[in-house]
Amino acid sequence: MKNFILQPSSLPVRQAGFNLDLILMNALSEDIGHCDVTTSAVIPPGHKSKAVLIAKDEFILAGISFAGRVFSLLDAGIKFNADKKDGRRVKKGDVIARVSGSTADLLKAERTALNLLQRLSGIATLTHKFVECVKGLHVKITDTRKTAPNLRFFEKYAVRAGGGHNHRFGLFDGVLIKDNHIAAAGGITKAVRLARSKTHHIMKIEVEAKNIKEVKQALSAGADIIMLDNMPVKEMKNAVKVIRRQNPSILIEASGSVTLQNVRQIAETGVDMISSGTVTHSAPAVDISMKVLD
């Protein structure tokens, strides 16, 4: 079977030839194993059905094309037609998609497709709530690398569907000097100098700072981006003033302990970005079901 490979122009990150089929096929294999014993016993060979995917919650949809791909990977003869588009709000009772083909294969692919769709829609929905909280302010809500193993591409896609933005995709596409790097390197100044000497000239360097002292060190070291990590809002506001006064062009990111309750207060300090692992690692899955039509 021909692999489904997204081209660079389709990716939310610059990573050419990212093979999604391998992940989806492994997910199918995990669920089906050597056979679906229930379906094999109950459904006669050659039986065909039509089914619908129905929303049982109100949410922001994400991953509809990935869900459709799960069905087609298992059986190229299955027809999958989406009624709703990613990024749109879906109401309880709405038909999201219609699928038809071999009844046995519809049932075999059902759980894998729904699991992915429910998880991604949950991430998009939570991301959208964060975005709405800071509406009208000049700030971006971004994700982090706190994603489920092997699902990062899908989950970062869902963040974008919810109106958020992607932070670096992995360790390979951005320098982010954190507390452990600083401790091991012998300080912020030395860590930045080493990073600058061993990366190319267009690679931006971000430094994590936990207090005003570290902010000033990052400024003196020539950081391009400063992350204010787990700072109280009052101290964060002061840090923003210090940074803007010395170098207005530096990007400022806030991170750590970000919630729906405090995200607007954080945004009002004047930071450019607010990153949150919550949007991926703690997003509750939405409820979607597949119903075979009589």
mmCIF file of all heavy atoms in Angstrom, residues 65-98:
data_model
loop_
_atom_site.group_PDB
_atom_site.id
_atom_site.type_symbol
_atom_site.label_atom_id
_atom_site.label_comp_id
_atom_site.label_asym_id
_atom_site.label_seq_id
_atom_site.Cartn_x
_atom_site.Cartn_y
_atom_site.Cartn_z
ATOM 1 N N SER A 65 -9.379 14.504 8.703
ATOM 2 C CA SER A 65 -8.708 13.824 7.585
ATOM 3 C C SER A 65 -7.866 12.647 8.075
ATOM 4 O O SER A 65 -7.723 11.638 7.376
ATOM 5 C CB SER A 65 -7.826 14.812 6.809
ATOM 6 O OG SER A 65 -6.820 15.344 7.637
ATOM 7 N N PHE A 66 -7.315 12.763 9.286
ATOM 8 C CA PHE A 66 -6.539 11.657 9.842
ATOM 9 C C PHE A 66 -7.453 10.477 10.167
ATOM 10 O O PHE A 66 -7.086 9.322 9.958
ATOM 11 C CB PHE A 66 -5.805 12.103 11.112
ATOM 12 C CG PHE A 66 -4.877 13.264 10.901
ATOM 13 C CD1 PHE A 66 -4.815 14.295 11.815
ATOM 14 C CD2 PHE A 66 -4.066 13.335 9.778
ATOM 15 C CE1 PHE A 66 -3.963 15.371 11.624
ATOM 16 C CE2 PHE A 66 -3.208 14.403 9.574
ATOM 17 C CZ PHE A 66 -3.155 15.420 10.502
ATOM 18 N N ALA A 67 -8.641 10.778 10.678
ATOM 19 C CA ALA A 67 -9.608 9.715 10.966
ATOM 20 C C ALA A 67 -10.003 9.005 9.676
ATOM 21 O O ALA A 67 -10.083 7.771 9.631
ATOM 22 C CB ALA A 67 -10.840 10.305 11.652
ATOM 23 N N GLY A 68 -10.237 9.785 8.633
ATOM 24 C CA GLY A 68 -10.573 9.180 7.345
ATOM 25 C C GLY A 68 -9.455 8.318 6.811
ATOM 26 O O GLY A 68 -9.687 7.263 6.203
ATOM 27 N N ARG A 69 -8.219 8.746 7.047
ATOM 28 C CA ARG A 69 -7.070 7.979 6.570
ATOM 29 C C ARG A 69 -6.968 6.634 7.267
ATOM 30 O O ARG A 69 -6.539 5.642 6.666
ATOM 31 C CB ARG A 69 -5.794 8.797 6.796
ATOM 32 C CG ARG A 69 -4.536 8.128 6.246
ATOM 33 C CD ARG A 69 -4.638 7.882 4.761
ATOM 34 N NE ARG A 69 -3.442 7.242 4.240
ATOM 35 C CZ ARG A 69 -3.378 6.666 3.042
ATOM 36 N NH1 ARG A 69 -4.444 6.642 2.254
ATOM 37 N NH2 ARG A 69 -2.259 6.110 2.626
ATOM 38 N N VAL A 70 -7.351 6.564 8.531
ATOM 39 C CA VAL A 70 -7.334 5.297 9.261
ATOM 40 C C VAL A 70 -8.204 4.266 8.539
ATOM 41 O O VAL A 70 -7.790 3.116 8.320
ATOM 42 C CB VAL A 70 -7.835 5.488 10.710
ATOM 43 C CG1 VAL A 70 -8.057 4.130 11.383
ATOM 44 C CG2 VAL A 70 -6.838 6.312 11.501
ATOM 45 N N PHE A 71 -9.402 4.678 8.128
ATOM 46 C CA PHE A 71 -10.298 3.767 7.416
ATOM 47 C C PHE A 71 -9.706 3.328 6.084
ATOM 48 O O PHE A 71 -9.727 2.146 5.731
ATOM 49 C CB PHE A 71 -11.659 4.437 7.183
ATOM 50 C CG PHE A 71 -12.518 4.534 8.405
ATOM 51 C CD1 PHE A 71 -12.617 5.723 9.111
ATOM 52 C CD2 PHE A 71 -13.240 3.439 8.855
ATOM 53 C CE1 PHE A 71 -13.424 5.828 10.245
ATOM 54 C CE2 PHE A 71 -14.048 3.516 9.980
ATOM 55 C CZ PHE A 71 -14.132 4.720 10.686
ATOM 56 N N SER A 72 -9.156 4.278 5.332
ATOM 57 C CA SER A 72 -8.651 3.943 4.000
ATOM 58 C C SER A 72 -7.378 3.102 4.060
ATOM 59 O O SER A 72 -7.107 2.306 3.154
ATOM 60 C CB SER A 72 -8.402 5.215 3.184
ATOM 61 O OG SER A 72 -7.394 6.015 3.762
ATOM 62 N N LEU A 73 -6.585 3.254 5.111
ATOM 63 C CA LEU A 73 -5.401 2.410 5.256
ATOM 64 C C LEU A 73 -5.797 0.958 5.474
ATOM 65 O O LEU A 73 -5.137 0.039 4.982
ATOM 66 C CB LEU A 73 -4.549 2.890 6.430
ATOM 67 C CG LEU A 73 -3.630 4.084 6.175
ATOM 68 C CD1 LEU A 73 -3.006 4.558 7.478
ATOM 69 C CD2 LEU A 73 -2.539 3.730 5.173
ATOM 70 N N LEU A 74 -6.861 0.755 6.207
ATOM 71 C CA LEU A 74 -7.318 -0.610 6.464
ATOM 72 C C LEU A 74 -8.010 -1.197 5.237
ATOM 73 O O LEU A 74 -7.839 -2.373 4.913
ATOM 74 C CB LEU A 74 -8.266 -0.626 7.663
ATOM 75 C CG LEU A 74 -8.705 -2.012 8.146
ATOM 76 C CD1 LEU A 74 -7.499 -2.808 8.645
ATOM 77 C CD2 LEU A 74 -9.733 -1.886 9.263
ATOM 78 N N ASP A 75 -8.763 -0.363 4.553
ATOM 79 C CA ASP A 75 -9.525 -0.832 3.388
ATOM 80 C C ASP A 75 -9.681 0.329 2.410
ATOM 81 O O ASP A 75 -10.449 1.260 2.663
ATOM 82 C CB ASP A 75 -10.893 -1.338 3.844
ATOM 83 C CG ASP A 75 -11.740 -1.893 2.701
ATOM 84 O OD1 ASP A 75 -11.363 -1.721 1.524
ATOM 85 O OD2 ASP A 75 -12.789 -2.496 2.996
ATOM 86 N N ALA A 76 -8.969 0.260 1.299
ATOM 87 C CA ALA A 76 -9.004 1.332 0.302
ATOM 88 C C ALA A 76 -10.385 1.488 -0.321
ATOM 89 O O ALA A 76 -10.682 2.523 -0.933
ATOM 90 C CB ALA A 76 -7.968 1.065 -0.792
ATOM 91 N N GLY A 77 -11.253 0.483 -0.154
ATOM 92 C CA GLY A 77 -12.590 0.546 -0.723
ATOM 93 C C GLY A 77 -13.587 1.308 0.127
ATOM 94 O O GLY A 77 -14.710 1.589 -0.320
ATOM 95 N N ILE A 78 -13.210 1.663 1.329
ATOM 96 C CA ILE A 78 -14.114 2.404 2.202
ATOM 97 C C ILE A 78 -14.214 3.853 1.732
ATOM 98 O O ILE A 78 -13.218 4.494 1.416
ATOM 99 C CB ILE A 78 -13.617 2.368 3.669
ATOM 100 C CG1 ILE A 78 -13.804 0.959 4.239
ATOM 101 C CG2 ILE A 78 -14.366 3.388 4.526
ATOM 102 C CD1 ILE A 78 -13.301 0.801 5.669
ATOM 103 N N LYS A 79 -15.421 4.371 1.689
ATOM 104 C CA LYS A 79 -15.654 5.768 1.316
ATOM 105 C C LYS A 79 -15.884 6.586 2.589
ATOM 106 O O LYS A 79 -16.721 6.229 3.420
ATOM 107 C CB LYS A 79 -16.866 5.878 0.390
ATOM 108 C CG LYS A 79 -16.652 5.219 -0.964
ATOM 109 C CD LYS A 79 -17.879 5.382 -1.857
ATOM 110 C CE LYS A 79 -17.653 4.733 -3.225
ATOM 111 N NZ LYS A 79 -18.852 4.879 -4.103
ATOM 112 N N PHE A 80 -15.130 7.679 2.715
ATOM 113 C CA PHE A 80 -15.222 8.534 3.890
ATOM 114 C C PHE A 80 -15.471 9.957 3.437
ATOM 115 O O PHE A 80 -14.674 10.540 2.701
ATOM 116 C CB PHE A 80 -13.918 8.457 4.692
ATOM 117 C CG PHE A 80 -13.937 9.221 5.992
ATOM 118 C CD1 PHE A 80 -14.285 8.598 7.175
ATOM 119 C CD2 PHE A 80 -13.597 10.568 6.032
ATOM 120 C CE1 PHE A 80 -14.295 9.298 8.384
ATOM 121 C CE2 PHE A 80 -13.611 11.279 7.226
ATOM 122 C CZ PHE A 80 -13.965 10.636 8.407
ATOM 123 N N ASN A 81 -16.592 10.524 3.857
ATOM 124 C CA ASN A 81 -16.947 11.886 3.481
ATOM 125 C C ASN A 81 -17.189 12.729 4.733
ATOM 126 O O ASN A 81 -18.074 12.414 5.542
ATOM 127 C CB ASN A 81 -18.212 11.897 2.609
ATOM 128 C CG ASN A 81 -17.999 11.193 1.283
ATOM 129 O OD1 ASN A 81 -17.162 11.604 0.481
ATOM 130 N ND2 ASN A 81 -18.744 10.119 1.054
ATOM 131 N N ALA A 82 -16.399 13.778 4.876
ATOM 132 C CA ALA A 82 -16.518 14.650 6.048
ATOM 133 C C ALA A 82 -17.612 15.689 5.840
ATOM 134 O O ALA A 82 -17.674 16.337 4.799
ATOM 135 C CB ALA A 82 -15.188 15.338 6.320
ATOM 136 N N ASP A 83 -18.467 15.838 6.843
ATOM 137 C CA ASP A 83 -19.508 16.869 6.821
ATOM 138 C C ASP A 83 -19.026 18.159 7.471
ATOM 139 O O ASP A 83 -19.580 19.233 7.226
ATOM 140 C CB ASP A 83 -20.754 16.379 7.568
ATOM 141 C CG ASP A 83 -21.574 15.396 6.749
ATOM 142 O OD1 ASP A 83 -20.970 14.561 6.043
ATOM 143 O OD2 ASP A 83 -22.811 15.462 6.819
ATOM 144 N N LYS A 84 -18.003 18.060 8.323
ATOM 145 C CA LYS A 84 -17.481 19.213 9.056
ATOM 146 C C LYS A 84 -15.989 19.367 8.784
ATOM 147 O O LYS A 84 -15.298 18.401 8.493
ATOM 148 C CB LYS A 84 -17.716 19.052 10.565
ATOM 149 C CG LYS A 84 -19.181 18.832 10.947
ATOM 150 C CD LYS A 84 -20.032 20.058 10.677
ATOM 151 C CE LYS A 84 -21.472 19.826 11.129
ATOM 152 N NZ LYS A 84 -22.343 21.002 10.856
ATOM 153 N N LYS A 85 -15.494 20.601 8.928
ATOM 154 C CA LYS A 85 -14.093 20.894 8.685
ATOM 155 C C LYS A 85 -13.353 21.151 9.999
ATOM 156 O O LYS A 85 -13.934 21.638 10.968
ATOM 157 C CB LYS A 85 -13.950 22.116 7.779
ATOM 158 C CG LYS A 85 -14.492 21.912 6.367
ATOM 159 C CD LYS A 85 -14.281 23.161 5.524
ATOM 160 C CE LYS A 85 -14.786 22.965 4.103
ATOM 161 N NZ LYS A 85 -14.573 24.186 3.270
ATOM 162 N N ASP A 86 -12.075 20.838 9.995
ATOM 163 C CA ASP A 86 -11.240 21.115 11.157
ATOM 164 C C ASP A 86 -11.236 22.610 11.476
ATOM 165 O O ASP A 86 -11.239 23.453 10.579
ATOM 166 C CB ASP A 86 -9.803 20.656 10.908
ATOM 167 C CG ASP A 86 -9.655 19.150 10.993
ATOM 168 O OD1 ASP A 86 -10.591 18.478 11.464
ATOM 169 O OD2 ASP A 86 -8.592 18.634 10.590
ATOM 170 N N GLY A 87 -11.213 22.902 12.765
ATOM 171 C CA GLY A 87 -11.208 24.289 13.208
ATOM 172 C C GLY A 87 -12.595 24.865 13.415
ATOM 173 O O GLY A 87 -12.739 25.974 13.943
ATOM 174 N N ARG A 88 -13.625 24.129 13.012
ATOM 175 C CA ARG A 88 -15.004 24.604 13.160
ATOM 176 C C ARG A 88 -15.634 24.052 14.444
ATOM 177 O O ARG A 88 -15.320 22.951 14.887
ATOM 178 C CB ARG A 88 -15.855 24.164 11.959
ATOM 179 C CG ARG A 88 -15.324 24.653 10.622
ATOM 180 C CD ARG A 88 -15.448 26.153 10.483
ATOM 181 N NE ARG A 88 -14.932 26.641 9.220
ATOM 182 C CZ ARG A 88 -15.602 26.687 8.090
ATOM 183 N NH1 ARG A 88 -16.854 26.247 8.053
ATOM 184 N NH2 ARG A 88 -15.040 27.163 6.989
ATOM 185 N N ARG A 89 -16.558 24.815 14.993
ATOM 186 C CA ARG A 89 -17.278 24.359 16.183
ATOM 187 C C ARG A 89 -18.350 23.356 15.780
ATOM 188 O O ARG A 89 -19.109 23.570 14.827
ATOM 189 C CB ARG A 89 -17.920 25.531 16.916
ATOM 190 C CG ARG A 89 -18.599 25.139 18.222
ATOM 191 C CD ARG A 89 -19.133 26.354 18.960
ATOM 192 N NE ARG A 89 -18.064 27.229 19.379
ATOM 193 C CZ ARG A 89 -17.330 27.035 20.470
ATOM 194 N NH1 ARG A 89 -17.554 25.983 21.243
ATOM 195 N NH2 ARG A 89 -16.382 27.888 20.798
ATOM 196 N N VAL A 90 -18.394 22.252 16.494
ATOM 197 C CA VAL A 90 -19.370 21.194 16.247
ATOM 198 C C VAL A 90 -20.325 21.133 17.427
ATOM 199 O O VAL A 90 -19.905 21.229 18.587
ATOM 200 C CB VAL A 90 -18.656 19.831 16.069
ATOM 201 C CG1 VAL A 90 -19.664 18.704 15.973
ATOM 202 C CG2 VAL A 90 -17.762 19.861 14.836
ATOM 203 N N LYS A 91 -21.610 21.002 17.150
ATOM 204 C CA LYS A 91 -22.607 20.931 18.209
ATOM 205 C C LYS A 91 -22.999 19.483 18.500
ATOM 206 O O LYS A 91 -22.868 18.609 17.645
ATOM 207 C CB LYS A 91 -23.847 21.735 17.816
ATOM 208 C CG LYS A 91 -23.589 23.229 17.662
ATOM 209 C CD LYS A 91 -24.860 23.964 17.261
ATOM 210 C CE LYS A 91 -24.597 25.456 17.106
ATOM 211 N NZ LYS A 91 -25.830 26.199 16.702
ATOM 212 N N LYS A 92 -23.483 19.251 19.698
ATOM 213 C CA LYS A 92 -23.931 17.922 20.087
ATOM 214 C C LYS A 92 -25.028 17.441 19.140
ATOM 215 O O LYS A 92 -25.987 18.166 18.866
ATOM 216 C CB LYS A 92 -24.454 17.958 21.523
ATOM 217 C CG LYS A 92 -24.873 16.592 22.063
ATOM 218 C CD LYS A 92 -25.305 16.693 23.512
ATOM 219 C CE LYS A 92 -25.701 15.333 24.057
ATOM 220 N NZ LYS A 92 -26.114 15.411 25.493
ATOM 221 N N GLY A 93 -24.852 16.248 18.610
ATOM 222 C CA GLY A 93 -25.833 15.682 17.682
ATOM 223 C C GLY A 93 -25.467 15.873 16.226
ATOM 224 O O GLY A 93 -26.085 15.248 15.345
ATOM 225 N N ASP A 94 -24.475 16.720 15.944
ATOM 226 C CA ASP A 94 -24.067 16.940 14.547
ATOM 227 C C ASP A 94 -23.422 15.692 13.958
ATOM 228 O O ASP A 94 -22.665 14.982 14.635
ATOM 229 C CB ASP A 94 -23.053 18.085 14.456
ATOM 230 C CG ASP A 94 -23.688 19.453 14.565
ATOM 231 O OD1 ASP A 94 -24.938 19.522 14.563
ATOM 232 O OD2 ASP A 94 -22.943 20.443 14.645
ATOM 233 N N VAL A 95 -23.718 15.439 12.686
ATOM 234 C CA VAL A 95 -23.011 14.398 11.944
ATOM 235 C C VAL A 95 -21.696 14.993 11.468
ATOM 236 O O VAL A 95 -21.674 16.016 10.784
ATOM 237 C CB VAL A 95 -23.841 13.887 10.747
ATOM 238 C CG1 VAL A 95 -23.009 12.941 9.882
ATOM 239 C CG2 VAL A 95 -25.099 13.182 11.236
ATOM 240 N N ILE A 96 -20.595 14.370 11.844
ATOM 241 C CA ILE A 96 -19.267 14.866 11.492
ATOM 242 C C ILE A 96 -18.809 14.301 10.161
ATOM 243 O O ILE A 96 -18.198 14.994 9.345
ATOM 244 C CB ILE A 96 -18.250 14.489 12.586
ATOM 245 C CG1 ILE A 96 -18.669 15.098 13.919
ATOM 246 C CG2 ILE A 96 -16.839 14.930 12.205
ATOM 247 C CD1 ILE A 96 -17.849 14.595 15.084
ATOM 248 N N ALA A 97 -19.108 13.018 9.949
ATOM 249 C CA ALA A 97 -18.674 12.364 8.708
ATOM 250 C C ALA A 97 -19.563 11.165 8.428
ATOM 251 O O ALA A 97 -20.234 10.637 9.322
ATOM 252 C CB ALA A 97 -17.216 11.939 8.807
ATOM 253 N N ARG A 98 -19.538 10.747 7.158
ATOM 254 C CA ARG A 98 -20.284 9.573 6.723
ATOM 255 C C ARG A 98 -19.294 8.598 6.095
ATOM 256 O O ARG A 98 -18.419 9.001 5.320
ATOM 257 C CB ARG A 98 -21.365 9.968 5.709
ATOM 258 C CG ARG A 98 -22.323 11.014 6.267
ATOM 259 C CD ARG A 98 -23.225 11.613 5.193
ATOM 260 N NE ARG A 98 -23.860 12.821 5.698
ATOM 261 C CZ ARG A 98 -24.995 12.851 6.397
ATOM 262 N NH1 ARG A 98 -25.617 11.713 6.648
ATOM 263 N NH2 ARG A 98 -25.494 13.986 6.841
#
